Each structure stands twice: as structure tokens, then as C-alpha cells.
């Protein structure tokens, strides 16, 4: 299958600072990327849909000014957690797809464990 | 709205067979995915069903009944490495890869 690389895998930051997470599709062009958040022992919750060259679409309850998403190229989307607080500590995972058809598999990055202290 | 239900935890013995059920309600249907997720790792794709019936892929099989809003994942010849969470997911209405996930079923395989 295709490879999606997410970086960093782990990050610890101080409360009030910003953290950028990168999601790259290594061997295909990702027209759409999705950002999910997963709290311990819970399932993945979709935060936003990132489309190359256009503004991201955020799910209800997700603050767009706090979670900045940029999808400047067909192989890279970034999620910036601004003014991070301890409650933002979570596992953030991106997925990418090059197609929109039925059964088109989305490929997941390795995830980023964010800890805000 | 859309909703997915699956058991929280299951245990099984190495070498046995286990069935993980998933029920869903969606406003439209664009198929159902099963993913495996080990602790602290990203999900990995297991299967995709869009038509009724059983799809077999090695030790793993997935079944779908659209009329009942029901799917199951069948794991045969269980191995210790199968201990993981198994996530049932369906696309949001109007999309294929924008997924809504169930809470996941944590499977513990014992010797």
C-alpha cells in the first residue's frame, strides 16, 4: 500500500506554545487529507478535512483558529496546534487518499503523540 | 445522523476463532471498513465491504448485511499478535474516505 509519513511521532511542549505536525504522502498525490484526534481508550474523532489548495473543513466543535491546517501541496498537509493546553494532549493521526471513489483506501500516518505540560 | 456500536472488550484464546460485531446507522451507505490498531500506533486497513455477504482474506473475514445495518469481523487461528483494537468505520454521508469510527473493540488473546 501507499505510504503516509507523519512527523514528529512524539512531541512534548509547554502550555501556551504552538506545535506543528506534518503529514506527507510519500508515493502518491493526496488530494485530500484528514486529521483525527484520539484520546486514550477512545476511538478516532475526525477533526477536519484538508483539501489541497483550499481551506480546510472543520467538524463541529473543532476550533479552526486553534487547529490551523495548511495543505499547500499534493503531498503535504500540516496541523498546527496553537496556544496548546494540557487538554490538547492527545494522539493526532492523519490519513490521505489520492482518490474519491468507492472503496478507495485511505492510508494513515504513524500518528503524533502530543503532550502539553 | 450516523452511529456505530461495537463491544468495548473481548478476550479469546490463542488458536481459537473470535467474531467482533458492529452495528451502524447511517443516512446513506458507502461501505464499511474494518481497521486494526495496536496501542500507540496508527490504524491499519483490514477490509472493506460494500455488498452483502462474507469476504475472506486469509485468517480474517468480514461480513456485511446492509438490511440489518450489521457487520462482523471474524478472526481465525488467533495469534498473540492479534491482540489489538479493532475499529469499525463508515464513511460520512457523501464521502468515501472521511470516516466515522466506532469506539473500537479491544481484543486480548491469551495463551
Amino acid at each position: 500500500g501507499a505510504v503516509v509519513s507523519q512527523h514528529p511521532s512524539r512531541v512534548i511542549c509547554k502550555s501556551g506554545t504552538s506545535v506543528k505536525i506534518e503529514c506527507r504522502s510519500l508515493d502518491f498525490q493526496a488530494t485530500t487529507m484528514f486529521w483525527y484526534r484520539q484520546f486514550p481508550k477512545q476511538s478516532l474523532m475526525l477533526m477536519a478535512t484538508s483539501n489541497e489548495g483550499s481551506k480546510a473543513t472543520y467538524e463541529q466543535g473543532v476550533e479552526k483558529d486553534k487547529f490551523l491546517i495548511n495543505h499547500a501541496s499534493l503531498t503535504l498537509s500540516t496541523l498546527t496546534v496553537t496556544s496548546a493546553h494540557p487538554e490538547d494532549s492527545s494522539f493526532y493521526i492523519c490519513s490521505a487518499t489520492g482518490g474519491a471513489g468507492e472503496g478507495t483506501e485511505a492510508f494513515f500516518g504513524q500518528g503524533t503523540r502530543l503532550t502539553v505540560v | 445522523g450516523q452511529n456505530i456500536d461495537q463491544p468495548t472488550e473481548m478476550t479469546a484464546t490463542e488458536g481459537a476463532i473470535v467474531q467482533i460485531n458492529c452495528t451502524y446507522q447511517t443516512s446513506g451507505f458507502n461501505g464499511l471498513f474494518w481497521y486494526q490498531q495496536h496501542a500507540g500506533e496508527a490504524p491499519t486497513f483490514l477490509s472493506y465491504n460494500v455488498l452483502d455477504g462474507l469476504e475472506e482474506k486469509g485468517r480474517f473475514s468480514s461480513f456485511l448485511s446492509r438490511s440489518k445495518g450489521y457487520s462482523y469481523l471474524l478472526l481465525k487461528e488467533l495469534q498473540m499478535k492479534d491482540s489489538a483494537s479493532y475499529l469499525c468505520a463508515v464513511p460520512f454521508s457523501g464521502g468515501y474516505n472521511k470516516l466515522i469510527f466506532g469506539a473500537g473493540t479491544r481484543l486480548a488473546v491469551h495463551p
Side-chain angles (χ1 to χ4, degrees), chain B residues 1 5 9 16-17 20 28 31 41 49 58 65 72 78 80-81 87 90-93 101-102 108 111:
Chain B
D5 289 310
E9 295 183 344
I17 299 173
I20 302 174
E41 298 180 11
N49 293 67
S65 169
Y72 68 72
L78 281 172
M80 298 297 291
K81 67 178 183 179
L87 310 176
V90 295
F92 276 75
S93 177
F101 284 85

Side-chain angles (χ1 to χ4, degrees), chain B residues 1-110:
Chain B
Q2 295 177 280
N3 189 49
I4 300 176
D5 289 310
Q6 49 182 133
T8 304
E9 295 183 344
M10 298 183 72
T11 59
T13 305
E14 193 174 16
I17 299 173
V18 70
Q19 178 175 311
I20 302 174
N21 297 323
C22 170
T23 57
Y24 63 89
Q25 295 91 42
T26 59
S27 55
F29 185 72
N30 290 321
L32 184 143
F33 292 84
W34 282 96
Y35 283 85
Q36 180 192 60
Q37 185 181 28
H38 285 97
E41 298 180 11
T44 55
F45 171 81
L46 292 178
S47 67
Y48 172 75
N49 293 67
V50 66
L51 299 177
D52 290 348
L54 184 68
E55 299 231 354
E56 299 186 69
K57 190 185 296 184
R59 293 191 299 115
F60 292 6
S61 302
S62 56
F63 172 85
L64 176 68
S65 169
R66 288 172 295 173
S67 62
K68 296 182 179 178
Y70 168 67
S71 173
Y72 68 72
L73 181 68
L74 193 69
L75 292 74
K76 303 176 184 176
E77 301 171 14
L78 281 172
Q79 302 174 10
M80 298 297 291
K81 67 178 183 179
D82 297 329
S83 294
S85 285
Y86 291 85
L87 310 176
C88 176
V90 295
F92 276 75
S93 177
Y96 292 109
N97 286 296
K98 181 178 174 181
L99 299 174
I100 177 169
F101 284 85
T105 299
R106 287 189 295 280
L107 174 66
V109 180
H110 299 290

